[in-house]
Amino acid sequence: MARERLTVPSRGTLFYAQSGGVTAVINATASAVITAARARKLRVLAGRNGILGALREELIDTSHESAATIRALAHTPGGAFGSCRVKLKSLEDDRPKYERMLEVFRAHDVRWFLYNGGNDSADTALKVSRLAAEFGYPLTCIGVPKTVDNDLAVTDTCPGFGSAAKYTAVSVREAALDVIAMADTSTKVFVYEAMGRHAGWLAAAAGLAGRELDEAPHIILFPEREFDQAAFLAQVDATVARVGHCVVVASEGIRTADGRFVADAGGGKDAFGHTQLGGVAAWLAGRVKDALGHKVHWTLPDYLQRSARHLASATDLKQAQAVGKAAVEYALKGMNGTMPVIVRTSDAPYRWTVRPAPLEEIANHEKTMPDGFIREDGFGITDAARRYLEPLIRGEAPPPYGRDGLPKYVRLANRLVPQRLPPAGF
Amino acid sequence: MARERLTVPSRGTLFYAQSGGVTAVINATASAVITAARARKLRVLAGRNGILGALREELIDTSHESAATIRALAHTPGGAFGSCRVKLKSLEDDRPKYERMLEVFRAHDVRWFLYNGGNDSADTALKVSRLAAEFGYPLTCIGVPKTVDNDLAVTDTCPGFGSAAKYTAVSVREAALDVIAMADTSTKVFVYEAMGRHAGWLAAAAGLAGRELDEAPHIILFPEREFDQAAFLAQVDATVARVGHCVVVASEGIRTADGRFVADAGGGKDAFGHTQLGGVAAWLAGRVKDALGHKVHWTLPDYLQRSARHLASATDLKQAQAVGKAAVEYALKGMNGTMPVIVRTSDAPYRWTVRPAPLEEIANHEKTMPDGFIREDGFGITDAARRYLEPLIRGEAPPPYGRDGLPKYVRLANRLVPQRLPPAGF
């Protein structure tokens, strides 16, 4: 790939940062942001490790990256500039941090701040915009949606979710074929642990793997429903008796009636004081083994489910790019304190568009699965859920592969611009 | 798909059965067997749940499946006729079972027996062929190689391995990009558990995800090397200090100096007598957390790694089909007690061919990683290993996808032929 240096006569500087857990398509959003900004002769600085880049004045000069590299970013998973798990507190409690950010922005002539993340990031973008207004510093703050958890308010769906959902549905369908083949003499119960601490969207997406009652997944456990061990085991038992095997998909966030995370029951310390790491799937598998005696296997895909760019949803990819492009447009129009959100205009045929929404309506809210999406017995999804979910995993968008059989993911140079301020110790 | 009934004027009956853990491409072998047999006007009966189908006289009549369905089988993971985990003992100890099999074969005019599996299956095929000879029953027995573990002797590689290897390398590369993005404020160590109870081939394949010393995976743990906890933790610590994060790939079969499986240390019973299921990755993650204090994530892909047909290796697919086709040819030539094996004739360009090998040389042997494939420090692969592994994951062979965004995997009717013998109670 040519590494020509792009010389852009800057009309001002846009700061872009990635936040929270990364996804298969957050870099596609970054790619769209940089492409749109370059077309408008804007300079893009990216935060090294998210908002920490602003606090530490570690600003990546994206103009060092060739057009080919920025295009390749659209098919590269992970967070190309580094992300972070940092939740800033209120303007009062964390005032020095917010002020430092503005200082850094001012020092580098940053006029537009795009923060690509979930509801915490929307909150941060909103607070920065308020402080900038208080200080009379002209800054337009835009939130850009991203999360595999699909739990942002207002937007119909969150970029990153569709690809993780496709990974989940495909993986469960494939593993189920394995279990069906082995069940007669070996594994009868298989448990798949899906991400989703507070909302069961990804677990729900597994429901797309089968259509009939006796097709896998036979049981889905949602954080939106109390986990009842006896009812669960009875359902597993009945399914094995009827179908010969049972595929369970459990959200990592399921809780018992007393509000405790089931995942915590699986961990803790052993008799020697050593940490035992477990999780929901391992724990459920243990209960099935003890109570029913079936041979059981389980999987914890963990990061694989959110970084599987090789199995991205084409719909999700397009939406990730669309919100990136829209974010730059909103920024230049001075639509401070907004986020481009996905609006669904039709289920069949699936149609969507992007519109601006106020960050106030998104920050710190959490969208769980509506009641109408969960089957009455609590163990599966409804037709309404299918109508919502199915378009989101539609279409394939594989990355290019090299002669070595591996996807050609790109790595950026990530060169920092010289610092202009004394270090602030963040 | 049309469901026309194929009327094949039979020249005799071929019995095909799948054995042991299934793979992403064992059905591609089945598809090739059936296609080759149909071209020669042979009838193919398949064992329902492997060799149990023969013992129970549960024989699937594959002529009910259309040509389109048999073609689609080539892109469908799992074991379409059902597999089994049954190891027959010696001819003396399990004589009634072997005799019953011959009885069933005789009752259905089975002249050719193709057993698609690992070294146990090669052993079974060999014993059946010996008993048939003793009884003067004309039966040609052929082993057909299959295993994601890649541990069969004689053959250069085992169909099923290349696709699982590609899944492993791609997944580790993708997850590593996630870890790199998160490491500054969150996960610094990531542990991936690969299948391989006795041989480290799949863990080794993860090594293809990176080329440089500081690229993931930074540490690979092989069952061919003693697990030394102190050395492991020191290596993790040094890697995090140098690179900022550390990706570990551990074979499920690693053992400590006293020969105990590390995986067993992670399980057992808790204080209440409940089963704790753990595994190697969870246990290693716990040790990293306790000893080094880093935030750690881990994954146990389990069945996902061997059923990921969506990420199959084109090389592996071709080889799975080639051994199926060759098996039918060998059968018709009466090459009793053989297995079609893959012979590598050149690394670069990669060239291979199929030749017959005697089952005696394969049955009950186990091929572990050669010393020259493991780096001297025991934590990585050598260039020789790369030269061996890399061609096996080359090329993509995605399944067709439906409008619903899911792979179009086929399900067979699996209709049994009428039984001709009284039940034998197996």
Side-chain angles (χ1 to χ4, degrees):
Chain A
M1 241 168 275
R3 285 258 171 195
E4 83 278 16
R5 172 77 191 271
L6 223 97
T7 45
V8 181
S10 173
R11 289 206 298 126
T13 298
L14 183 150
F15 176 75
Y16 166 84
Q18 302 178 321
S19 174
V22 294
T23 78
V25 296
I26 185 173
N27 287 335
T29 299
S31 174
V33 164
I34 295 169
T35 303
R38 284 185 177 184
R40 285 161 181 82
K41 315 283 186 212
L42 305 185
R43 178 185 184 220
V44 178
L45 297 180
R48 180 171 170 179
N49 297 313
I51 202 66
L52 288 177
L55 287 169
R56 296 170 178 164
E57 204 191 356
E58 293 181 346
L59 308 175
I60 293 164
D61 186 351
T62 66
S63 69
H64 290 288
E65 307 297 343
S66 71
T69 299
I70 297 304
R71 272 195 304 276
L73 205 52
H75 65 244
T76 300
F81 308 108
S83 185
C84 67
R85 288 218 179 273
V86 172
K87 165 121 174 105
L88 293 185
K89 292 179 212 146
S90 69
L91 275 174
E92 296 69 43
D93 292 342
D94 259 345
R95 195 160 180 101
K97 287 186 183 164
Y98 289 102
E99 289 186 358
R100 163 75 178 177
M101 243 187 276
L102 279 191
E103 248 185 284
V104 170
F105 288 168
R106 201 191 291 267
H108 293 271
D109 192 30
V110 169
R111 298 308 172 109
W112 304 282
F113 168 32
L114 269 54
Y115 204 19
N116 200 173
N119 36 38
D120 283 359
S121 318
D123 181 64
T124 301
L126 192 60
K127 290 195 173 109
V128 172
S129 84
R130 281 174 185 157
L131 195 71
E134 187 189 318
F135 279 38
Y137 177 72
L139 182 74
T140 301
C141 298
I142 308 285
V144 194
K146 169 246 54 164
T147 170
V148 297
D149 293 334
N150 204 40
D151 60 355
L152 291 191
V154 186
T155 189
D156 180 68
T157 185
C158 304
F161 171 68
S163 295
K166 189 181 184 93
Y167 174 93
T168 306
V170 172
S171 297
V172 168
R173 177 171 282 189
E174 290 180 333
L177 292 173
D178 196 310
V179 177
I180 292 168
M182 304 309 295
D184 188 63
T185 50
S186 178
T187 302
K188 284 195 170 45
V189 180
F190 183 75
V191 188
Y192 178 108
E193 179 165 338
M195 282 186 167
R197 195 81 176 156
H198 304 292
W201 294 106
L202 273 180
L208 298 175
R211 192 158 282 279
E212 309 299 325
L213 189 68
D214 286 350
E215 280 180 336
H218 307 93
I219 299 176
I220 303 177
L221 302 174
F222 304 94
E224 287 86 354
R225 292 288 176 272
E226 258 173 32
F227 173 70
D228 175 337
Q229 187 173 324
F232 164 70
L233 289 171
Q235 189 81 359
V236 172
D237 207 25
T239 306
V240 172
R242 198 176 66 244
V243 189
H245 62 276
C246 180
V247 174
V248 178
V249 174
S251 196
E252 62 174 330
I254 56 168
R255 289 194 263 198
T256 46
D258 58 6
R260 293 186 350 153
F261 283 111
V262 170
D264 294 341
K269 300 273 183 187
D270 69 9
F272 308 98
H274 298 153
T275 299
Q276 290 253 7
L277 298 169
V280 165
W283 189 83
L284 293 171
R287 300 298 67 70
V288 167
K289 194 179 166 191
D290 284 346
L292 308 175
H294 298 309
K295 174 151 189 208
V296 55
H297 263 243
W298 85 96
T299 180
L300 174 71
D302 196 64
Y303 284 175
L304 306 193
Q305 74 202 279
R306 70 183 201 193
S307 56
R309 179 62 185 82
H310 76 269
L311 197 52
S313 146
T315 303
D316 188 36
L317 176 64
K318 276 187 213 124
Q319 294 179 340
Q321 292 171 313
V323 296
K325 186 163 174 254
V328 174
E329 285 163 16
Y330 297 175
L332 291 186
K333 286 184 188 159
M335 294 161 68
N336 191 31
T338 61
M339 175 183 274
V341 296
I342 313 286
V343 180
R344 180 184 302 227
T345 54
S346 160
D347 271 336
Y350 177 56
R351 291 210 180 94
W352 57 276
T353 183
V354 173
R355 74 157 174 87
L359 284 177
E360 281 97 343
E361 293 178 15
I362 297 156
N364 300 316
H365 291 281
E366 208 167 55
K367 186 172 69 182
T368 55
M369 292 261 294
D371 277 349
F373 279 15
I374 301 178
R375 222 167 54 196
E376 214 157 306
D377 68 2
F379 291 131
I381 59 171
T382 61
D383 286 343
R386 282 179 194 283
R387 278 193 298 277
Y388 169 74
L389 291 166
E390 200 254 288
L392 308 181
I393 69 164
R394 224 179 259 162
E396 291 69 54
Y401 282 77
R403 256 190 54 73
D404 61 359
L406 290 163
K408 290 166 90 167
Y409 295 143
V410 79
R411 260 180 298 178
L412 306 188
N414 280 353
R415 284 165 61 179
L416 303 182
V417 297
Q419 299 188 328
R420 295 174 180 173
L421 299 173
F426 291 109
Chain B
M1 241 168 275
R3 286 256 171 197
E4 83 278 17
R5 172 77 190 271
L6 224 96
T7 43
V8 180
S10 175
R11 289 208 297 130
T13 297
L14 183 149
F15 177 75
Y16 166 84
Q18 303 179 321
S19 174
V22 295
T23 78
V25 297
I26 185 173
N27 287 335
T29 299
S31 174
V33 164
I34 294 170
T35 304
R38 285 185 178 183
R40 284 160 182 82
K41 316 281 186 215
L42 305 185
R43 177 185 185 222
V44 178
L45 297 180
R48 180 171 172 179
N49 298 314
I51 201 66
L52 288 177
L55 287 170
R56 297 170 178 163
E57 203 191 357
E58 293 181 346
L59 308 175
I60 293 165
D61 186 351
T62 66
S63 70
H64 290 288
E65 307 296 343
S66 71
T69 299
I70 297 304
R71 272 196 303 277
L73 205 52
H75 65 245
T76 300
F81 307 109
S83 185
C84 68
R85 288 217 179 274
V86 172
K87 163 119 175 108
L88 293 184
K89 292 180 212 145
S90 69
L91 275 174
E92 296 69 43
D93 291 342
D94 260 344
R95 195 161 180 100
K97 286 185 182 163
Y98 290 103
E99 289 186 358
R100 163 75 178 177
M101 245 187 276
L102 279 192
E103 248 185 284
V104 171
F105 287 169
R106 200 190 292 265
H108 292 271
D109 192 29
V110 169
R111 298 308 172 109
W112 304 283
F113 169 34
L114 269 54
Y115 205 19
N116 200 173
N119 36 38
D120 284 358
S121 319
D123 181 63
T124 301
L126 191 60
K127 291 197 172 107
V128 172
S129 83
R130 281 175 185 156
L131 195 71
E134 187 188 318
F135 279 39
Y137 178 71
L139 183 74
T140 301
C141 299
I142 308 284
V144 195
K146 167 248 54 165
T147 170
V148 298
D149 292 335
N150 204 38
D151 59 355
L152 291 191
V154 186
T155 188
D156 180 68
T157 185
C158 305
F161 171 68
S163 295
K166 188 181 184 93
Y167 174 93
T168 306
V170 172
S171 298
V172 168
R173 177 171 283 190
E174 290 181 332
L177 291 173
D178 196 310
V179 177
I180 291 169
M182 305 308 295
D184 187 63
T185 50
S186 178
T187 302
K188 283 194 172 44
V189 180
F190 184 76
V191 188
Y192 179 108
E193 179 165 338
M195 282 185 167
R197 195 82 176 155
H198 303 292
W201 293 106
L202 274 180
L208 297 175
R211 192 157 282 279
E212 309 298 325
L213 189 67
D214 286 351
E215 281 180 335
H218 307 94
I219 298 175
I220 303 177
L221 301 175
F222 303 95
E224 287 86 355
R225 293 288 176 272
E226 258 173 32
F227 174 69
D228 174 339
Q229 187 173 327
F232 164 71
L233 290 171
Q235 189 81 0
V236 172
D237 206 26
T239 306
V240 172
R242 198 176 66 244
V243 189
H245 62 275
C246 180
V247 174
V248 178
V249 174
S251 196
E252 63 174 328
I254 56 167
R255 288 195 264 198
T256 46
D258 57 5
R260 294 187 349 154
F261 282 112
V262 170
D264 294 340
K269 300 274 183 186
D270 70 10
F272 308 98
H274 299 151
T275 300
Q276 289 253 9
L277 299 168
V280 165
W283 190 84
L284 292 172
R287 299 299 65 71
V288 168
K289 193 178 168 194
D290 284 347
L292 308 176
H294 297 310
K295 175 152 188 207
V296 56
H297 263 243
W298 85 98
T299 180
L300 174 71
D302 196 62
Y303 284 175
L304 307 193
Q305 74 202 279
R306 70 183 201 192
S307 56
R309 179 62 184 82
H310 76 269
L311 197 52
S313 145
T315 303
D316 189 35
L317 176 63
K318 276 186 214 123
Q319 294 179 340
Q321 292 170 314
V323 295
K325 186 164 175 256
V328 174
E329 285 163 17
Y330 297 175
L332 291 187
K333 285 185 190 159
M335 293 160 70
N336 191 29
T338 61
M339 175 183 275
V341 297
I342 313 288
V343 179
R344 181 184 301 226
T345 54
S346 159
D347 270 336
Y350 177 55
R351 290 209 181 94
W352 56 276
T353 184
V354 173
R355 73 158 174 88
L359 285 178
E360 282 96 343
E361 294 177 15
I362 296 156
N364 299 317
H365 290 281
E366 207 166 57
K367 187 172 69 181
T368 54
M369 293 260 293
D371 277 349
F373 279 14
I374 301 178
R375 224 167 53 197
E376 214 159 305
D377 68 0
F379 291 132
I381 58 171
T382 61
D383 286 342
R386 281 178 195 283
R387 279 194 297 276
Y388 169 75
L389 291 166
E390 200 254 290
L392 307 181
I393 69 164
R394 224 178 259 163
E396 292 67 56
Y401 282 76
R403 255 191 55 72
D404 60 0
L406 289 163
K408 290 166 89 167
Y409 295 143
V410 80
R411 261 180 297 178
L412 305 188
N414 281 351
R415 284 166 62 179
L416 302 183
V417 296
Q419 299 188 329
R420 294 176 180 171
L421 299 173
F426 291 109

